[in-house]
Amino acid sequence: MENKFPILETDRLVLREITPEDAENIFTYLSDKEVMKYYGLAPFQSVDEALDEIAWYQSIRENNTGIRWGITLKGKGEVIGSCGFLNIVSQHFRSDIGFELSKDYWGQGIAQESIEAVIKYGFEQLNLQRIQALIEPPNEASQKLVERQGFIKEGLLRNYEFTSGKFDNLYMYSLLKEDFEN
Ligand SMILES: CC(C)(COP(=O)(O)OP(=O)(O)OC[C@H]1O[C@@H](n2cnc3c(N)ncnc32)[C@H](O)[C@@H]1OP(=O)(O)O)[C@@H](O)C(=O)NCCC(=O)NCCS
């Protein structure tokens, strides 16, 4: 992976590196119960947890297992959400994709515009062959988001994660490079 953080630009957005200075803004949405409902983490209770999350974004990039972009509106610096790759398995050319957006910005196609750029980067620059999305069945907005990008629902992974004291089933969605190219 190249050293300089790749900034991605779309019609309305700039996707950029997240730094500790963004902690307050990230805390705003990662402490929101609705945003965190199907996230696999409890809503954050302090800005320190946001700083830990940012440190994690930096560490996955350093060890080449992921990259996370901060979503900003053009002309405004503030991070309103994030998206990117995690659990990259380079020998298998595959990765999971993750995303979330501050509630104030839902329903405007911003997540769509962001992940479209991220997916393109994944196939063209990271040379991925397969991008996976693992989504809880009641998380309809996320399923709609990936289905609009052409992801295929492959099946239900039963009791796949243990979070907040319970086991969760997760749908496994995937998009292949060949689906993206055609
Ligand atoms: C998943 C999430 C990012 C989706 O946000 P979103 O704003 O619904 O997603 P999109 O960018 O696809 O926007 C689509 C909506 O915007 C509308 N829209 C408005 N302008 C649009 C445009 N220019 N392009 C596309 N859609 C547009 C669409 O009609 C659609 O509305 P609908 O859902 O009523 O059909 C958001 O629900 C979220 O942050 N959820 C919590 C975090 C989470 O669960 N993350 C995933 C864990 S697996």
Side-chain angles (χ1 to χ4, degrees):
M1 226 179 269
E2 72 207 31
N3 265 337
K4 204 167 167 294
F5 193 93
I7 294 171
L8 307 179
E9 213 179 300
T10 67
D11 283 352
R12 294 178 288 174
L13 312 169
V14 176
L15 307 187
R16 63 151 172 91
E17 186 167 20
I18 297 171
T19 72
E21 283 162 31
D22 299 309
E24 288 282 350
N25 287 325
I26 284 175
F27 177 68
T28 303
Y29 59 78
L30 292 182
S31 61
D32 183 330
K33 265 195 224 148
E34 275 186 74
V35 173
M36 300 304 275
K37 196 165 175 191
Y38 307 117
Y39 202 79
L41 286 179
F44 286 11
Q45 296 193 342
S46 72
V47 176
D48 277 351
E49 287 179 85
L51 284 165
D52 290 346
E53 187 76 2
I54 294 167
W56 179 69
Y57 298 153
Q58 288 172 340
S59 78
I60 59 172
R61 182 157 146 76
E62 274 160 23
N63 62 28
N64 291 333
T65 60
I67 176 169
R68 196 85 178 188
W69 284 270
I71 303 170
T72 67
L73 294 171
K74 265 187 191 165
K76 297 197 181 173
E78 153 204 359
V79 172
I80 59 168
S82 83
C83 59
F85 296 110
L86 64 160
N87 302 329
I88 294 178
V89 185
S90 47
Q91 72 268 37
H92 297 307
F93 299 86
R94 73 164 186 250
S95 177
D96 295 349
I97 193 167
F99 42 80
E100 79 285 310
L101 201 58
S102 182
K103 209 167 45 201
D104 291 348
Y105 298 92
W106 289 1
Q108 300 175 34
I110 290 174
Q112 208 66 246
E113 199 168 311
S114 307
I115 74 159
E116 202 176 313
V118 163
I119 289 167
K120 186 171 158 59
Y121 186 87
F123 287 132
E124 293 180 355
Q125 305 299 321
L126 300 178
N127 199 24
L128 297 172
Q129 285 296 326
R130 172 184 165 94
I131 299 175
Q132 308 181 156
L134 289 107
I135 305 178
E136 288 185 31
N139 189 352
E140 288 173 12
S142 292
Q143 290 177 60
K144 219 183 211 180
L145 173 69
V146 301
E147 281 169 7
R148 281 201 183 124
Q149 292 295 325
F151 280 66
I152 304 292
K153 189 192 280 179
E154 295 179 324
L156 186 69
L157 306 175
R158 298 179 307 150
N159 285 2
Y160 196 68
E161 281 187 350
F162 185 76
T163 46
S164 309
K166 63 177 176 57
F167 289 100
D168 287 320
N169 299 326
L170 291 173
Y171 282 133
M172 169 64 88
Y173 276 90
S174 74
L175 183 70
L176 303 184
K177 190 174 192 175
E178 63 211 54
D179 305 334
F180 169 78
E181 283 169 343
N182 295 322

